[in-house]
Amino acid sequence: MKYLNVKRIDWYIIKKFLGTYIFMIVLIISIAVVFDINEKIDKFMTNNASLKEIIFDYYLNFIPYYANLFSPLFVFLAVIFFTSKMANNSEIIAILSNGISFKRLMKPYMMAASVIAIFSFVFGSYVIPPANASRINFENTYVDPRQRKVGDTDIQFKVGEGSIVYFSSFDIPSSTGTNFSMDHFDSLQLVSRLTARSIRYDSLYRWTIQDYQIRNFDGLQETITKGESIDTTIQIVPNDFIIAKTDQQMMTSPQLRHYITSQKERGMGNIQAFQIEYHSRIASVFSAFILTLIGAALSARKVKGGMGLNLGIGLALSMGYILFMTISSSFAVKGGMSAFVAAWIPNIFFTAIAFYLYKKAPN
C-alpha cells in the first residue's frame, strides 16, 4: 500500500469504518432474522418446511441478500456512528489541528467505501442472484404459494424477423398454451399463418402443436394444410413471456443485460423491473461514496446533542434515501419514468446534499 501513501491514521480510520460496518450488518440483520422467524414460523410449520430447508435454502440466502440490499444504509450508519464517537472524544479536532484538512481526512473513508462498493457490486451482480433462486423457491413453496408463476393471458410478441406469436392463455404447470397463432411477414405482406387449438412446451425451443392449420399465401393464392399434431422448433421458452415479480432478482447482471436486450427486440413491454434492477446495481456502487461523504461531513463536528443527535439525523436521511429509491422505482414501473433516471435520481439528489455538507464541514 506504499504507492497509496497510506498512513497509520488512515489504517486506524479504515479499520474503524469496516469494523463498524460489519458490526451494523450483524446487529441489524440478526434482528431482522428474529422478526422474520417470528412472522413466518406458523407458515413454516403449516407447510411442513424442514429445519434443513429453513436454514440452508432460506436463511443462508436471506442474510446475504438483505445485507447487500441495505448496504448503503449500513455504510451510512457505520460512518455516523464511529465518526461521532471520534468527534466526541476530540479525535477529529486533534487530527484537524495537526494540519490535516477535511479533504485529506476523507481519503481513508473513501478507501474503505471503495472496498465495500466493490464487494457489494460483485456479490450483488454475480453471487447473490443464483442464491436468490433457492430463497425465492422456498418462499413460493412454504411461505406464499400464490407467488408462483402459474400463467398469463393474451400474450403477443415478436420471436424473429417478421414472425409474431400469440397465445390466448398459457399455463405454467402444464407448459401448455391455448389458441396459439404464429404469423410470418415479408416486409408488410403476410406470407403464412399457423393457428392451433393448443401448444405444449417440451424442451429447449421444442414445442408440440395440436390440432393445427397452416395457411400459406402466394399472391392471391392460398394453400391450407391441416393436421392433428406436429413437433416444431420455436426460439422461445415460457420464461420469455411468463414473468414473476422476483425473476430479476435471480439473474446476474450479464443475464439481465441480455434479457433486456432480447425482450426489447421482441417488443415486450413488461421489462421495467428488470431495467431498474440492472441500473440499481450500478447506482448502489456510487451510493456508498455519496453516503460516506454525507455521514462523515455530518458527524465530524462535535455537537451538544452528542452521538444520539447525529444518529437521529443519519437515520432520518438514510430512511429518506430508501424511501426516495422506492418512490422513483414505483414511478418507473407504473408511471412511465425511465428506469435509468429512477435508479440515479436518489444519488443525484443526495450528491447535492453531500456537496453542501462537505462545504460546511470543519477544517
Side-chain angles (χ1 to χ4, degrees):
M1 297 293 262
K2 289 183 178 180
Y3 64 94
L4 293 177
N5 195 25
V6 181
K7 305 295 185 182
R8 182 177 296 180
I9 186 64
D10 296 325
W11 282 117
Y12 176 74
I13 292 174
I14 289 171
K15 289 177 182 178
K16 275 188 169 291
F17 190 161
L18 297 179
T20 308
Y21 172 75
I22 294 172
F23 171 76
M24 288 289 178
I25 290 178
V26 173
L27 176 64
I28 297 176
I29 293 298
S30 297
I31 295 172
V33 168
V34 171
F35 275 99
D36 191 74
I37 292 174
N38 183 63
E39 179 185 353
K40 295 175 180 173
I41 187 66
D42 290 341
K43 294 179 180 178
F44 293 161
M45 297 177 66
T46 301
N47 294 313
N48 299 317
S50 68
L51 181 62
K52 179 182 177 181
E53 290 173 315
I54 293 172
I55 295 174
F56 292 98
D57 292 345
Y58 185 58
Y59 281 110
L60 282 185
N61 297 313
F62 172 97
I63 291 171
Y65 171 71
Y66 283 100
N68 191 68
L69 180 66
F70 294 108
S71 180
L73 170 63
F74 299 139
V75 167
F76 199 28
L77 294 179
V79 171
I80 288 177
F81 183 83
F82 87 83
T83 306
S84 296
K85 192 172 181 180
M86 289 176 64
N88 286 338
N89 293 336
S90 299
E91 292 178 77
I92 299 293
I93 295 175
I95 292 171
L96 298 177
S97 298
N98 278 278
I100 298 177
S101 67
F102 185 77
K103 179 180 179 180
R104 173 60 181 83
L105 182 62
M106 286 298 97
K107 179 179 177 179
Y109 281 85
M110 292 303 160
M111 291 176 67
S114 298
V115 173
I116 293 171
I118 291 170
F119 272 93
S120 180
F121 177 76
V122 171
F123 272 76
S125 298
Y126 299 97
V127 179
I128 293 176
N132 280 340
S134 296
R135 177 181 62 84
I136 292 170
N137 181 62
F138 179 93
E139 290 177 337
N140 292 341
T141 303
Y142 299 110
V143 179
D144 190 1
R146 294 173 300 175
Q147 295 296 323
R148 287 180 176 175
K149 295 188 291 186
V150 294
D152 203 353
T153 59
D154 293 327
I155 306 161
Q156 183 177 23
F157 59 97
K158 184 178 179 182
V159 294
E161 189 63 33
S163 298
I164 297 175
V165 299
Y166 171 81
F167 297 86
S168 175
S169 65
F170 193 89
D171 180 67
I172 284 289
S174 63
S175 298
T176 301
T178 60
N179 297 327
F180 173 76
S181 69
M182 182 164 61
D183 298 331
H184 295 285
F185 292 86
D186 183 6
S187 296
L188 298 178
Q189 185 71 35
L190 178 65
V191 294
S192 71
R193 176 179 174 82
L194 181 151
T195 57
R197 176 178 53 82
S198 68
I199 181 171
R200 183 173 58 83
Y201 177 67
D202 183 17
S203 57
L204 186 61
Y205 301 139
R206 292 185 59 81
W207 297 78
T208 300
I209 302 174
Q210 302 286 342
D211 192 12
Y212 68 91
Q213 174 181 277
I214 302 175
R215 301 168 63 191
N216 293 307
F217 303 96
D218 184 9
L220 297 178
Q221 292 185 343
E222 177 182 352
T223 304
I224 299 177
T225 304
K226 295 183 179 181
E228 293 184 1
S229 178
I230 186 174
D231 292 333
T232 187
T233 299
I234 307 175
Q235 296 296 313
I236 53 174
V237 295
N239 283 341
D240 289 336
F241 51 87
I242 304 296
I243 301 171
K245 65 179 182 179
T246 54
D247 280 354
Q248 69 276 10
Q249 297 176 14
M250 296 183 281
M251 295 183 182
T252 64
S253 290
Q255 290 172 338
L256 269 175
R257 186 168 59 249
H258 174 74
Y259 181 83
I260 291 167
T261 301
S262 63
Q263 293 300 81
K264 282 183 177 180
E265 291 174 352
R266 289 169 172 165
M268 300 293 285
N270 54 349
I271 59 173
Q272 291 89 340
F274 295 85
Q275 292 175 312
I276 291 170
E277 178 74 15
Y278 179 75
H279 292 297
S280 294
R281 290 178 184 179
I282 300 172
S284 65
V285 174
F286 294 89
S287 69
F289 299 101
I290 296 167
L291 296 177
T292 293
L293 182 57
I294 292 176
L298 184 67
S299 52
R301 194 184 303 274
K302 190 173 183 178
V303 295
K304 292 183 179 180
M307 188 186 302
L309 179 61
N310 286 336
L311 283 175
I313 296 173
L315 279 171
L317 283 173
S318 57
M319 289 299 105
Y321 181 81
I322 293 172
L323 180 63
F324 207 160
M325 285 196 303
T326 303
I327 292 174
S328 62
S329 296
S330 297
F331 270 110
V333 173
K334 300 179 181 179
M337 179 186 290
S338 163
F340 177 84
V341 173
W344 284 93
I345 270 187
N347 279 358
I348 294 171
F349 180 78
F350 276 79
T351 296
I353 295 177
F355 181 76
Y356 172 79
L357 291 174
Y358 178 76
K359 291 294 184 181
K360 295 290 184 179
N363 282 289

